[in-house]
Amino acid sequence: MKLFGFFSRGQSAPAARERLQVLLAHERASTGDIDLVNKLRDEILKAISKHMQVDDEKVSIKMERGAQVSTLAVDIEIPFDAGKKAA
Amino acid sequence: MGKVIVVTSGKGGVGKTTSSAALGAALAQNGEKVVVVDFDVGLRNLDLVMGAERRVVYDLVNVIQGEAKLTQALIRDKRVETLYLLPASQTRDKDNLTPEGVEKVIAALKSAFDWVICDSPAGIERGATLAMRHADIAIVVTNPEVSSVRDSDRIIGLLDSKTLKAENGERIEKHLLLTRYDANRAERGDMLKVDDVLEILSIPLLGIIPESMDVLRASNVGAPVTLADGRSAPALAYFEATRRLKGEDLPVTIPGEKRSFLGKIFGRKAA
């Protein structure tokens, strides 16, 4: 922690700039993830529905970002008679 | 076919309405046919800033709901005859703005005007997304201040995903309008500089509007700042911005960069 002198106050704009750069890099990455997950969800659903009937709402896709590894969890509930619709 | 501009920011109070009025008036003062549309349903203010608050009979919501014709709702400016205003509703809820209704109104305005300027409400909700939906060009109004820059970044993300142009795989033209800029404070290191904001948001600069008493003075009397005093520093900056908007390659000057002798003696009180 820097103590400001009585006569010369430190400049505050560089702090603003730095804080914004760090924050926005983080925020841009996380909104990008939401877009990516939505896209993946659509495409996975499309691929599966070619072969069986699944309920849109029974599909959950989650992405978790870790420092070393990120994971993508896809959870799809397949109804009992799903195979019958295969086109 | 006219061009549709959205004036947006995310954050409130940064100068969207002031800028919509000033840019609209400046374009009209150069002979272009302009309509400025207030999308801030429930909290309209463009009418007040443009000095037409006592002439509002019908509004955007009336037109969308089919209660009035577009021509009945449009208010022609008393000073510049090619400048029109389409006010927002003050009493109705913003849920009255339907995507289909907005689409119809914008299409009709586009065919009748050279420029359709949509003054977006603050926030990222329905009003703001509908205001940007049909835009060809977006003007992102930003103050050199952390919360405004952050919200502008968010709005830029929305412009790239929620507009019709973005959905059709086209690029929406985006410009930064930096308002309330104080070159002296930036020079002292107490305000983000133009280059800082440009580097963070990385969209091209349309203009820099200096912090000025003339802006408040103009809104007090109900005149866009370019009409209230066409030779004031903010007015000149808005005139320059409209020239860039029309495609002119004009270098951006930082207003108030040099301080007068008196300014140096009396600090910020002078000028």
PDB file of all heavy atoms in Angstrom, chain B residues 31 54 70 74 92 132-133 143 149 154 163 166 170 178 185 213 218:
ATOM      1  N   GLY B  31     -28.387  19.982 -43.757  1.00  0.00           N
ATOM      2  CA  GLY B  31     -29.342  19.699 -44.820  1.00  0.00           C
ATOM      3  C   GLY B  31     -29.839  18.266 -44.911  1.00  0.00           C
ATOM      4  O   GLY B  31     -30.660  17.945 -45.764  1.00  0.00           O
ATOM      5  N   ARG B  54     -43.621  20.339 -24.835  1.00  0.00           N
ATOM      6  CA  ARG B  54     -45.027  20.739 -24.803  1.00  0.00           C
ATOM      7  C   ARG B  54     -45.750  20.446 -26.112  1.00  0.00           C
ATOM      8  O   ARG B  54     -46.921  20.764 -26.267  1.00  0.00           O
ATOM      9  CB  ARG B  54     -45.120  22.228 -24.472  1.00  0.00           C
ATOM     10  CG  ARG B  54     -44.430  22.530 -23.131  1.00  0.00           C
ATOM     11  CD  ARG B  54     -45.025  23.681 -22.440  1.00  0.00           C
ATOM     12  NE  ARG B  54     -44.951  24.901 -23.252  1.00  0.00           N
ATOM     13  CZ  ARG B  54     -45.335  26.085 -22.810  1.00  0.00           C
ATOM     14  NH1 ARG B  54     -45.835  26.218 -21.603  1.00  0.00           N
ATOM     15  NH2 ARG B  54     -45.227  27.139 -23.572  1.00  0.00           N
ATOM     16  N   LEU B  70     -47.814   7.229 -37.820  1.00  0.00           N
ATOM     17  CA  LEU B  70     -46.448   7.710 -37.632  1.00  0.00           C
ATOM     18  C   LEU B  70     -46.369   9.220 -37.858  1.00  0.00           C
ATOM     19  O   LEU B  70     -45.736   9.948 -37.093  1.00  0.00           O
ATOM     20  CB  LEU B  70     -45.528   6.956 -38.597  1.00  0.00           C
ATOM     21  CG  LEU B  70     -44.030   7.175 -38.464  1.00  0.00           C
ATOM     22  CD1 LEU B  70     -43.553   6.900 -37.051  1.00  0.00           C
ATOM     23  CD2 LEU B  70     -43.270   6.284 -39.442  1.00  0.00           C
ATOM     24  N   LEU B  74     -44.775  12.216 -35.243  1.00  0.00           N
ATOM     25  CA  LEU B  74     -43.529  12.926 -35.519  1.00  0.00           C
ATOM     26  C   LEU B  74     -43.661  14.416 -35.224  1.00  0.00           C
ATOM     27  O   LEU B  74     -44.642  15.045 -35.599  1.00  0.00           O
ATOM     28  CB  LEU B  74     -43.124  12.733 -36.984  1.00  0.00           C
ATOM     29  CG  LEU B  74     -42.579  11.349 -37.354  1.00  0.00           C
ATOM     30  CD1 LEU B  74     -42.439  11.229 -38.866  1.00  0.00           C
ATOM     31  CD2 LEU B  74     -41.234  11.096 -36.683  1.00  0.00           C
ATOM     32  N   ARG B  92     -46.635   4.737 -20.415  1.00  0.00           N
ATOM     33  CA  ARG B  92     -46.774   3.306 -20.672  1.00  0.00           C
ATOM     34  C   ARG B  92     -45.543   2.535 -20.220  1.00  0.00           C
ATOM     35  O   ARG B  92     -44.469   3.092 -20.054  1.00  0.00           O
ATOM     36  CB  ARG B  92     -47.015   3.064 -22.170  1.00  0.00           C
ATOM     37  CG  ARG B  92     -48.131   3.888 -22.724  1.00  0.00           C
ATOM     38  CD  ARG B  92     -49.473   3.310 -22.350  1.00  0.00           C
ATOM     39  NE  ARG B  92     -49.882   2.337 -23.329  1.00  0.00           N
ATOM     40  CZ  ARG B  92     -50.516   2.633 -24.441  1.00  0.00           C
ATOM     41  NH1 ARG B  92     -50.821   3.887 -24.715  1.00  0.00           N
ATOM     42  NH2 ARG B  92     -50.858   1.702 -25.293  1.00  0.00           N
ATOM     43  N   MET B 132     -31.108  -1.129 -30.383  1.00  0.00           N
ATOM     44  CA  MET B 132     -29.927  -1.454 -31.203  1.00  0.00           C
ATOM     45  C   MET B 132     -30.236  -2.457 -32.316  1.00  0.00           C
ATOM     46  O   MET B 132     -29.478  -2.599 -33.259  1.00  0.00           O
ATOM     47  CB  MET B 132     -28.796  -1.995 -30.323  1.00  0.00           C
ATOM     48  CG  MET B 132     -29.050  -3.355 -29.719  1.00  0.00           C
ATOM     49  SD  MET B 132     -27.585  -4.115 -28.956  1.00  0.00           S
ATOM     50  CE  MET B 132     -27.250  -3.041 -27.580  1.00  0.00           C
ATOM     51  N   ARG B 133     -31.364  -3.120 -32.184  1.00  0.00           N
ATOM     52  CA  ARG B 133     -31.699  -4.257 -33.053  1.00  0.00           C
ATOM     53  C   ARG B 133     -31.501  -3.993 -34.557  1.00  0.00           C
ATOM     54  O   ARG B 133     -30.926  -4.793 -35.257  1.00  0.00           O
ATOM     55  CB  ARG B 133     -33.160  -4.640 -32.777  1.00  0.00           C
ATOM     56  CG  ARG B 133     -33.669  -5.803 -33.561  1.00  0.00           C
ATOM     57  CD  ARG B 133     -33.611  -7.068 -32.762  1.00  0.00           C
ATOM     58  NE  ARG B 133     -33.929  -8.202 -33.599  1.00  0.00           N
ATOM     59  CZ  ARG B 133     -33.137  -9.257 -33.743  1.00  0.00           C
ATOM     60  NH1 ARG B 133     -32.029  -9.334 -33.079  1.00  0.00           N
ATOM     61  NH2 ARG B 133     -33.479 -10.243 -34.526  1.00  0.00           N
ATOM     62  N   ASN B 143     -17.818   7.753 -20.940  1.00  0.00           N
ATOM     63  CA  ASN B 143     -17.076   8.736 -20.152  1.00  0.00           C
ATOM     64  C   ASN B 143     -15.728   8.114 -19.788  1.00  0.00           C
ATOM     65  O   ASN B 143     -15.643   6.901 -19.621  1.00  0.00           O
ATOM     66  CB  ASN B 143     -17.811   9.084 -18.843  1.00  0.00           C
ATOM     67  CG  ASN B 143     -19.066   9.909 -19.055  1.00  0.00           C
ATOM     68  OD1 ASN B 143     -19.859  10.065 -18.138  1.00  0.00           O
ATOM     69  ND2 ASN B 143     -19.273  10.409 -20.255  1.00  0.00           N
ATOM     70  N   VAL B 149     -16.623   2.701 -18.856  1.00  0.00           N
ATOM     71  CA  VAL B 149     -15.839   1.903 -19.810  1.00  0.00           C
ATOM     72  C   VAL B 149     -16.239   0.426 -19.719  1.00  0.00           C
ATOM     73  O   VAL B 149     -16.422  -0.253 -20.730  1.00  0.00           O
ATOM     74  CB  VAL B 149     -14.321   2.071 -19.558  1.00  0.00           C
ATOM     75  CG1 VAL B 149     -13.524   1.139 -20.463  1.00  0.00           C
ATOM     76  CG2 VAL B 149     -13.899   3.516 -19.800  1.00  0.00           C
ATOM     77  N   ARG B 154     -19.433  -4.135 -22.297  1.00  0.00           N
ATOM     78  CA  ARG B 154     -20.549  -5.080 -22.278  1.00  0.00           C
ATOM     79  C   ARG B 154     -21.492  -4.821 -23.445  1.00  0.00           C
ATOM     80  O   ARG B 154     -21.960  -5.740 -24.115  1.00  0.00           O
ATOM     81  CB  ARG B 154     -21.284  -4.908 -20.942  1.00  0.00           C
ATOM     82  CG  ARG B 154     -22.340  -5.906 -20.646  1.00  0.00           C
ATOM     83  CD  ARG B 154     -21.749  -7.202 -20.165  1.00  0.00           C
ATOM     84  NE  ARG B 154     -22.712  -8.295 -20.322  1.00  0.00           N
ATOM     85  CZ  ARG B 154     -23.706  -8.525 -19.464  1.00  0.00           C
ATOM     86  NH1 ARG B 154     -23.838  -7.794 -18.391  1.00  0.00           N
ATOM     87  NH2 ARG B 154     -24.563  -9.507 -19.680  1.00  0.00           N
ATOM     88  N   THR B 163     -27.696  -7.812 -32.409  1.00  0.00           N
ATOM     89  CA  THR B 163     -28.277  -6.993 -33.480  1.00  0.00           C
ATOM     90  C   THR B 163     -28.581  -7.870 -34.690  1.00  0.00           C
ATOM     91  O   THR B 163     -28.018  -8.943 -34.851  1.00  0.00           O
ATOM     92  CB  THR B 163     -27.318  -5.869 -33.893  1.00  0.00           C
ATOM     93  OG1 THR B 163     -26.048  -6.447 -34.203  1.00  0.00           O
ATOM     94  CG2 THR B 163     -27.150  -4.855 -32.785  1.00  0.00           C
ATOM     95  N   ALA B 166     -25.519  -8.614 -36.729  1.00  0.00           N
ATOM     96  CA  ALA B 166     -24.663  -9.642 -36.149  1.00  0.00           C
ATOM     97  C   ALA B 166     -25.261 -11.025 -36.393  1.00  0.00           C
ATOM     98  O   ALA B 166     -24.555 -11.966 -36.740  1.00  0.00           O
ATOM     99  CB  ALA B 166     -24.474  -9.388 -34.660  1.00  0.00           C
ATOM    100  N   GLU B 170     -23.158 -10.342 -40.413  1.00  0.00           N
ATOM    101  CA  GLU B 170     -22.494  -9.129 -40.883  1.00  0.00           C
ATOM    102  C   GLU B 170     -21.867  -8.410 -39.695  1.00  0.00           C
ATOM    103  O   GLU B 170     -22.201  -8.673 -38.557  1.00  0.00           O
ATOM    104  CB  GLU B 170     -23.514  -8.179 -41.540  1.00  0.00           C
ATOM    105  CG  GLU B 170     -24.116  -8.706 -42.825  1.00  0.00           C
ATOM    106  CD  GLU B 170     -25.276  -7.825 -43.268  1.00  0.00           C
ATOM    107  OE1 GLU B 170     -25.045  -6.635 -43.501  1.00  0.00           O
ATOM    108  OE2 GLU B 170     -26.409  -8.331 -43.341  1.00  0.00           O
ATOM    109  N   LEU B 178     -16.354   9.703 -27.011  1.00  0.00           N
ATOM    110  CA  LEU B 178     -15.879   9.933 -25.649  1.00  0.00           C
ATOM    111  C   LEU B 178     -16.413  11.283 -25.175  1.00  0.00           C
ATOM    112  O   LEU B 178     -16.097  12.322 -25.755  1.00  0.00           O
ATOM    113  CB  LEU B 178     -14.350   9.909 -25.652  1.00  0.00           C
ATOM    114  CG  LEU B 178     -13.635   9.763 -24.315  1.00  0.00           C
ATOM    115  CD1 LEU B 178     -14.024   8.479 -23.623  1.00  0.00           C
ATOM    116  CD2 LEU B 178     -12.126   9.808 -24.530  1.00  0.00           C
ATOM    117  N   ARG B 185      -7.242  17.227 -16.752  1.00  0.00           N
ATOM    118  CA  ARG B 185      -7.220  16.167 -15.731  1.00  0.00           C
ATOM    119  C   ARG B 185      -6.540  14.919 -16.265  1.00  0.00           C
ATOM    120  O   ARG B 185      -5.836  14.227 -15.529  1.00  0.00           O
ATOM    121  CB  ARG B 185      -8.646  15.845 -15.275  1.00  0.00           C
ATOM    122  CG  ARG B 185      -9.243  16.998 -14.482  1.00  0.00           C
ATOM    123  CD  ARG B 185     -10.685  16.745 -14.167  1.00  0.00           C
ATOM    124  NE  ARG B 185     -10.850  15.728 -13.135  1.00  0.00           N
ATOM    125  CZ  ARG B 185     -12.034  15.278 -12.739  1.00  0.00           C
ATOM    126  NH1 ARG B 185     -13.134  15.742 -13.304  1.00  0.00           N
ATOM    127  NH2 ARG B 185     -12.121  14.388 -11.792  1.00  0.00           N
ATOM    128  N   MET B 213     -19.631  23.557 -19.631  1.00  0.00           N
ATOM    129  CA  MET B 213     -20.847  24.194 -19.116  1.00  0.00           C
ATOM    130  C   MET B 213     -21.891  24.367 -20.217  1.00  0.00           C
ATOM    131  O   MET B 213     -23.077  24.463 -19.957  1.00  0.00           O
ATOM    132  CB  MET B 213     -20.508  25.582 -18.560  1.00  0.00           C
ATOM    133  CG  MET B 213     -20.090  25.609 -17.104  1.00  0.00           C
ATOM    134  SD  MET B 213     -21.369  24.918 -16.056  1.00  0.00           S
ATOM    135  CE  MET B 213     -22.660  26.152 -16.291  1.00  0.00           C
ATOM    136  N   ALA B 218     -27.297  24.395 -22.698  1.00  0.00           N
ATOM    137  CA  ALA B 218     -28.148  24.062 -23.847  1.00  0.00           C
ATOM    138  C   ALA B 218     -29.388  23.283 -23.395  1.00  0.00           C
ATOM    139  O   ALA B 218     -30.509  23.579 -23.818  1.00  0.00           O
ATOM    140  CB  ALA B 218     -27.361  23.258 -24.874  1.00  0.00           C
TER     141      ALA B 218
END
